[in-house]
Short mmCIF file of all heavy atoms in Angstrom, two decimals:
data_model
loop_
_atom_site.label_atom_id
_atom_site.label_comp_id
_atom_site.label_asym_id
_atom_site.label_seq_id
_atom_site.Cartn_x
_atom_site.Cartn_y
_atom_site.Cartn_z
N ALA N 1 40.17 -45.76 -31.37
CA ALA N 1 41.03 -45.35 -30.16
C ALA N 1 42.11 -46.36 -29.81
O ALA N 1 43.23 -45.93 -29.51
CB ALA N 1 40.08 -45.15 -28.83
N SER N 2 41.81 -47.58 -29.92
CA SER N 2 42.74 -48.66 -29.72
C SER N 2 43.95 -48.58 -30.72
O SER N 2 45.05 -48.82 -30.44
CB SER N 2 42.11 -50.03 -29.87
OG SER N 2 43.06 -51.04 -29.72
N ALA N 3 43.63 -48.02 -31.98
CA ALA N 3 44.63 -47.90 -32.97
C ALA N 3 45.49 -46.65 -32.78
O ALA N 3 46.51 -46.40 -33.45
CB ALA N 3 43.97 -47.80 -34.36
N GLY N 4 45.09 -45.81 -31.79
CA GLY N 4 45.82 -44.59 -31.51
C GLY N 4 45.34 -43.36 -32.17
O GLY N 4 46.09 -42.36 -32.34
N SER N 5 44.20 -43.45 -32.85
CA SER N 5 43.58 -42.18 -33.55
C SER N 5 43.28 -41.14 -32.49
O SER N 5 42.92 -41.42 -31.42
CB SER N 5 42.31 -42.65 -34.28
OG SER N 5 42.62 -43.62 -35.21
N PRO N 6 43.33 -39.89 -32.94
CA PRO N 6 42.95 -38.77 -32.04
C PRO N 6 41.47 -38.86 -31.72
O PRO N 6 40.64 -39.49 -32.42
CB PRO N 6 43.28 -37.57 -32.82
CG PRO N 6 43.44 -37.95 -34.23
CD PRO N 6 43.80 -39.35 -34.23
N VAL N 7 41.15 -38.25 -30.57
CA VAL N 7 39.72 -38.29 -30.09
C VAL N 7 38.73 -37.85 -31.04
O VAL N 7 37.69 -38.45 -31.22
CB VAL N 7 39.57 -37.49 -28.75
CG1 VAL N 7 38.16 -37.38 -28.29
CG2 VAL N 7 40.46 -38.20 -27.62
N ASN N 8 38.97 -36.74 -31.75
CA ASN N 8 38.00 -36.26 -32.74
C ASN N 8 37.75 -37.25 -33.90
O ASN N 8 36.63 -37.44 -34.39
CB ASN N 8 38.44 -34.82 -33.36
CG ASN N 8 39.69 -34.86 -34.04
OD1 ASN N 8 40.74 -35.54 -33.55
ND2 ASN N 8 39.80 -34.11 -35.13
N ALA N 9 38.91 -37.99 -34.30
CA ALA N 9 38.70 -38.91 -35.28
C ALA N 9 37.85 -40.07 -34.80
O ALA N 9 37.13 -40.68 -35.55
CB ALA N 9 40.07 -39.43 -35.79
N CYS N 10 38.01 -40.52 -33.57
CA CYS N 10 37.35 -41.69 -32.98
C CYS N 10 35.88 -41.33 -32.93
O CYS N 10 34.97 -42.19 -33.29
CB CYS N 10 37.83 -41.96 -31.58
SG CYS N 10 39.61 -42.42 -31.49
N ILE N 11 35.63 -40.11 -32.55
CA ILE N 11 34.07 -39.71 -32.46
C ILE N 11 33.53 -39.61 -33.89
O ILE N 11 32.44 -40.03 -34.09
CB ILE N 11 33.97 -38.28 -31.75
CG1 ILE N 11 34.29 -38.47 -30.27
CG2 ILE N 11 32.54 -37.75 -31.89
CD1 ILE N 11 34.41 -37.21 -29.49
N ALA N 12 34.27 -39.09 -34.83
CA ALA N 12 33.86 -39.00 -36.18
C ALA N 12 33.66 -40.44 -36.72
O ALA N 12 32.63 -40.67 -37.45
CB ALA N 12 34.87 -38.26 -37.10
N GLY N 13 34.53 -41.29 -36.35
CA GLY N 13 34.38 -42.77 -36.88
C GLY N 13 33.17 -43.38 -36.27
O GLY N 13 32.43 -44.04 -36.94
N GLY N 14 32.88 -43.11 -34.99
CA GLY N 14 31.53 -43.58 -34.47
C GLY N 14 30.33 -43.05 -35.08
O GLY N 14 29.45 -43.74 -35.39
N ILE N 15 30.37 -41.72 -35.41
CA ILE N 15 29.25 -41.10 -36.09
C ILE N 15 29.02 -41.68 -37.47
O ILE N 15 27.92 -41.95 -37.89
CB ILE N 15 29.44 -39.59 -36.13
CG1 ILE N 15 29.30 -38.99 -34.69
CG2 ILE N 15 28.45 -38.93 -37.10
CD1 ILE N 15 29.63 -37.48 -34.63
N LEU N 16 30.14 -41.95 -38.15
CA LEU N 16 30.21 -42.47 -39.52
C LEU N 16 29.58 -43.88 -39.58
O LEU N 16 29.24 -44.32 -40.62
CB LEU N 16 31.45 -42.32 -40.17
CG LEU N 16 31.91 -40.84 -40.52
CD1 LEU N 16 33.35 -40.80 -41.04
CD2 LEU N 16 30.96 -40.28 -41.62
N ALA N 17 29.54 -44.62 -38.43
CA ALA N 17 29.05 -45.87 -38.37
C ALA N 17 27.50 -45.93 -38.34
O ALA N 17 26.88 -46.96 -38.59
CB ALA N 17 29.56 -46.66 -37.10
N PHE N 18 26.89 -44.75 -38.23
CA PHE N 18 25.42 -44.81 -38.22
C PHE N 18 24.97 -45.00 -39.62
O PHE N 18 25.49 -44.44 -40.64
CB PHE N 18 24.90 -43.42 -37.73
CG PHE N 18 25.19 -43.14 -36.23
CD1 PHE N 18 25.76 -41.97 -35.86
CD2 PHE N 18 24.97 -44.20 -35.28
CE1 PHE N 18 25.91 -41.73 -34.46
CE2 PHE N 18 25.12 -43.92 -34.01
CZ PHE N 18 25.64 -42.72 -33.54
N GLY N 19 23.91 -45.74 -39.72
CA GLY N 19 23.34 -46.05 -41.10
C GLY N 19 21.87 -46.52 -40.97
O GLY N 19 21.31 -46.48 -39.88
N GLU N 20 21.50 -47.15 -41.95
CA GLU N 20 20.11 -47.77 -42.01
C GLU N 20 19.83 -48.68 -40.89
O GLU N 20 18.76 -48.73 -40.27
CB GLU N 20 19.86 -48.40 -43.33
CG GLU N 20 18.54 -49.00 -43.50
CD GLU N 20 18.26 -49.55 -44.87
OE1 GLU N 20 18.90 -49.21 -45.89
OE2 GLU N 20 17.40 -50.51 -44.93
N ASN N 21 20.87 -49.61 -40.54
CA ASN N 21 20.61 -50.59 -39.53
C ASN N 21 21.10 -50.15 -38.17
O ASN N 21 20.87 -50.91 -37.14
CB ASN N 21 21.40 -51.82 -39.91
CG ASN N 21 20.97 -52.40 -41.24
OD1 ASN N 21 19.71 -52.46 -41.48
ND2 ASN N 21 21.86 -52.80 -42.19
N HIS N 22 21.65 -49.04 -38.00
CA HIS N 22 22.08 -48.53 -36.77
C HIS N 22 21.76 -46.98 -36.70
O HIS N 22 22.48 -46.18 -37.42
CB HIS N 22 23.55 -48.75 -36.45
CG HIS N 22 24.10 -48.15 -35.18
ND1 HIS N 22 23.34 -48.11 -33.99
CD2 HIS N 22 25.33 -47.53 -34.86
CE1 HIS N 22 24.07 -47.50 -33.04
NE2 HIS N 22 25.17 -47.16 -33.59
N ALA N 23 20.72 -46.55 -36.01
CA ALA N 23 20.33 -45.16 -35.88
C ALA N 23 19.35 -44.74 -37.06
O ALA N 23 18.76 -43.72 -36.98
CB ALA N 23 21.41 -44.17 -35.88
N GLY N 24 19.11 -45.72 -38.04
CA GLY N 24 18.19 -45.33 -39.09
C GLY N 24 16.65 -45.50 -38.62
O GLY N 24 15.87 -44.87 -39.28
N ALA N 25 16.46 -46.27 -37.62
CA ALA N 25 15.05 -46.57 -37.21
C ALA N 25 14.28 -45.29 -36.84
O ALA N 25 13.13 -45.15 -37.18
CB ALA N 25 14.96 -47.62 -36.17
N ILE N 26 14.91 -44.27 -36.27
CA ILE N 26 14.22 -43.16 -35.78
C ILE N 26 13.77 -42.44 -37.02
O ILE N 26 12.63 -41.81 -36.96
CB ILE N 26 15.05 -42.25 -34.87
CG1 ILE N 26 14.12 -41.22 -34.29
CG2 ILE N 26 16.33 -41.67 -35.49
CD1 ILE N 26 14.67 -40.52 -33.11
N GLU N 27 14.54 -42.25 -38.02
CA GLU N 27 14.20 -41.51 -39.24
C GLU N 27 12.97 -42.21 -39.97
O GLU N 27 11.99 -41.58 -40.25
CB GLU N 27 15.25 -41.43 -40.25
CG GLU N 27 14.92 -40.80 -41.52
CD GLU N 27 16.12 -40.73 -42.50
OE1 GLU N 27 17.25 -41.20 -42.22
OE2 GLU N 27 15.93 -40.07 -43.54
#
């Protein structure tokens, strides 16, 4: 968002940050 990306891209970027060490514990 700071870089000026559109809201949908910012949300997608946040989602793409999920992985084994962040959000993986529930699985």
